[in-house]
């Protein structure tokens, strides 16, 4: 049975033909005995199948169904379209990502939803999540500028991730944490939590007070930067998908020492699409993951990427004012800020990538 294949077609879909592994087909039987439809979990024990299991009859039924009779007497019914969509060569993203530059994003239809609409309509939630998949960014406007109201807006869509910075965090120029974010300094484009095994999937930032100058926010599309590098220098691109770049966060007073290595560009091994862009030049740890003989080519690729990220045509710069929450995909979009004067208070939080995926899947967007 393990080496058998079976050809399947259906008259409703004359252009489609499938060649399926017999064991795969049986493993995907969705009858009550093989699959619990309440819990959506598998029940079938593959080790209990007879060694010589074969299909004894396959027939096309009305409504795009396929009926399979098995040599052990079991019967399975499948939807042909479901079988079709379940094949690696037919996997297509439900909501494709669209890469952007500074000049293109300003013309795009990314979500910018009033707080009240978000609270009152499911469709507004969907627009935000869709925008986060397509562009990696969305905004909520007319939010009362407090941490509590920011929390309310985010909890409307996602649970909040707890980290060493707390759940909701409010930061300004003070030494609360050993990090440049807690200063008035310029912050170049980066993704957060490069030192976590599971970096936050989303980050939200809301400027709730500023009485000085500067402090503009910047966003850069990591997807665009990766595409640009691939186009200009495929060898450098390939290196940045492979070399493990170590990062760490050390706060001795709080007994924190987070450490993680991963590539700058993590590709999905199934689709080849970019899964995660991981970039923070400040939080890099000692580069000890490749031998010295490979350092020159790594640094060449890394510096080329810095130049793309810092290119003004990729950097979308704008001033966040009290009332607007910016949400971005921390696995894709880099953020930063200009230096500033005066008092500036930012509030926000992180969301687990897994929760983002869960919401997107519940809304049938992923
Ligand atoms: C957002 N918040 C102000 C709480 C923390 C900022 C941490 C930034 C840090 N260097 C990192 O890359 O993760
Ligand atoms: O202060 C800001 O606007 C951004 C801070 C930042 O980059 C961060 O929290 O990671």
């Amino acid at each position: 049975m393990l080496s058998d294949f079976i050809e399947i077609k259906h008259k409703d879909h004359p252009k489609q033909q499938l060649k399926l592994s017999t064991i795969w087909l049986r493993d995907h039987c969705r009858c009550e005995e093989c699959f619990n439809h309440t819990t959506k979990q598998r029940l079938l024990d593959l080790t209990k199948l007879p060694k010589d299991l074969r299909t004894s009859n396959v027939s096309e039924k009305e409504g795009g169904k396929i009926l399979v009779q098995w040599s052990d007497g079991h019967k399975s019914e499948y939807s042909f379209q479901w079988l079709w969509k379940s094949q690696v060569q037919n996997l297509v993203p439900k909501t494709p990502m669209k890469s952007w530059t500074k000049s293109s994003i300003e013309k795009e239809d990314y979500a910018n939803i009033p707080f009240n609409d978000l609270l009152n309509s499911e469709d507004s939630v969907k627009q935000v999540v869709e925008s986060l998949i397509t562009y990696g960014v969305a905004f909520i406007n007319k939010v009362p500028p407090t941490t509590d109201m920011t929390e309310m807006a985010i909890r409307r869509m996602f649970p909040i991730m707890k980290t060493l910075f707390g759940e909701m965090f409010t930061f300004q120029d003070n030494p609360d944490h050993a990090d440049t974010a807690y200063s008035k300094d310029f912050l170049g484009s980066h993704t957060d939590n490069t030192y976590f095994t599971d970096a936050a999937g989303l980050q939200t930032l809301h400027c709730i007070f500023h009485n000085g100058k500067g402090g503009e926010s910047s966003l850069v599309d990591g997807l665009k930067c990766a595409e640009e590098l691939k186009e200009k220098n495929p060898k450098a691109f390939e290196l940045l998908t492979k070399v493990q770049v170590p990062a760490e966060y050390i706060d001795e007073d709080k007994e924190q020492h987070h450490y993680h290595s991963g590539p700058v560009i993590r590709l999905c091994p199934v689709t080849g699409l970019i899964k995660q862009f991981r970039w923070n030049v400040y939080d890099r740890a000692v580069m000890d993951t490749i031998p010295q003989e490979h350092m020159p080519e790594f640094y060449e690729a890394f510096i080329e990427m810095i130049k793309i990220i810092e290119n003004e045509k990729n950097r979308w710069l704008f001033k966040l004012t009290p009332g607007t929450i910016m949400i971005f995909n921390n696995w894709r979009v880099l953020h930063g800020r200009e230096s500033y004067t005066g008092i500036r208070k930012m509030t926000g939080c992180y969301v687990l990538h897994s929760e983002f995926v869960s919401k997107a899947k519940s809304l049938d967007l992923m």
Side-chain angles (χ1 to χ4, degrees), residues 323-334:
T324 300
I325 304 177
M326 165 170 88
I327 313 175
F328 53 91
N329 181 345
N330 186 55
W331 279 29
R332 166 174 167 187
V333 172
L334 298 80

Side-chain angles (χ1 to χ4, degrees), residues 338-351:
E338 299 294 279
S339 61
Y340 64 87
T341 62
I343 297 172
R344 178 178 179 271
K345 289 186 189 166
M346 300 293 287
T347 195
C349 63
Y350 295 127
V351 173

